[in-house]
C-alpha cells in the first residue's frame, strides 16, 4: 500500500463522485442569461452567471498540476508522486482525531479484546 497512491485515489474518487451527479439541463445551467448580458462573440468570464457558478460548476482537484509543460519544467518538474507524498504528509500532520466519548471508546476496546480472544490469530 502506498500513501501516495492512496492520495491519488482519493482525488480520483472525488472527481468520480462529482461526475456521478450527472448533468442538469435547466435555464440556469444552460446560461442563456450570460449570452444575453454580453452577446455572441464575447467571452463570458465576467458575466453574472459565470461569477455565480465558477467555484462550484466543476470538480476542482487540489492535486493535478495543469500548467503548460514549460511552466511545470521551469518550476522544478514536480511529478504526481512527489505532490502526493507532500499531500499525505500534510494531511497526516493536520489530522485531528474526532471526539469520542470515553465510555464508547472503552466499550469498543472491550469488544475488540473479546473478539480477538475468541479466535486464533491468522495470517490474514
Amino acid at each position: 500500500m502506498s500513501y501516495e497512491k492512496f492520495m491519488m485515489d482519493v482525488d480520483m474518487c472525488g472527481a468520480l463522485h462529482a461526475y456521478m451527479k450527472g448533468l442538469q439541463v435547466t435555464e440556469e445551467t444552460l446560461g442563456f442569461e450570460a449570452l444575453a448580458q454580453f452577446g455572441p462573440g464575447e467571452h463570458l468570464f465576467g458575466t453574472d452567471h459565470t461569477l455565480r457558478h465558477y467555484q462550484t460548476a466543476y470538480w476542482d482537484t487540489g492535486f493535478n498540476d495543469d500548467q503548460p509543460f514549460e511552466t511545470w519544467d521551469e518550476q522544478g518538474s514536480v511529478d504526481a508522486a512527489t505532490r502526493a507524498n507532500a499531500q499525505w504528509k500534510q494531511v497526516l500532520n493536520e489530522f485531528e482525531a474526532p471526539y469520542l466519548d470515553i465510555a464508547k471508546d472503552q466499550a469498543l476496546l472491550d469488544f475488540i479484546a473479546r473478539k480477538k480472544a475468541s479466535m486464533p490469530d491468522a495470517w490474514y
Side-chain angles (χ1 to χ4, degrees):
M1 193 283 182
S2 159
Y3 293 137
E4 291 80 5
K5 175 74 166 79
F6 179 73
M7 296 311 296
M8 291 181 217
D9 289 347
V10 166
D11 186 67
M12 179 61 71
C13 287
L16 293 173
H17 182 73
Y19 300 153
M20 294 301 290
K21 290 180 183 176
L23 296 174
Q24 290 182 346
V25 180
T26 65
E27 290 290 324
E28 182 65 15
T29 61
L30 290 174
F32 291 128
E33 168 194 337
L35 289 171
Q37 186 175 353
F38 283 178
E42 299 295 326
H43 74 77
L44 306 178
F45 299 128
T47 66
D48 296 334
H49 179 270
T50 301
L51 294 175
R52 207 169 44 246
H53 294 283
Y54 80 97
Q55 288 185 321
T56 59
Y58 303 100
W59 166 252
D60 185 19
T61 177
F63 182 73
N64 281 350
D65 185 349
D66 296 327
Q67 299 179 84
F69 174 81
E70 293 79 10
T71 305
W72 173 80
D73 189 45
E74 289 170 2
Q75 293 181 350
S77 309
V78 180
D79 63 9
T82 304
R83 288 194 310 275
N85 182 274
Q87 189 176 21
W88 77 255
K89 289 176 180 175
Q90 178 183 356
V91 168
L92 192 61
N93 187 47
E94 294 173 357
F95 175 76
E96 290 183 26
Y99 171 76
L100 181 59
D101 179 69
I102 295 171
K104 288 182 182 178
D105 187 32
Q106 189 58 50
L108 287 169
L109 292 172
D110 291 342
F111 171 79
I112 292 168
R114 287 192 318 272
K115 195 66 165 172
K116 286 180 78 172
S118 73
M119 62 183 71
D121 284 338
W123 64 270
Y124 54 88

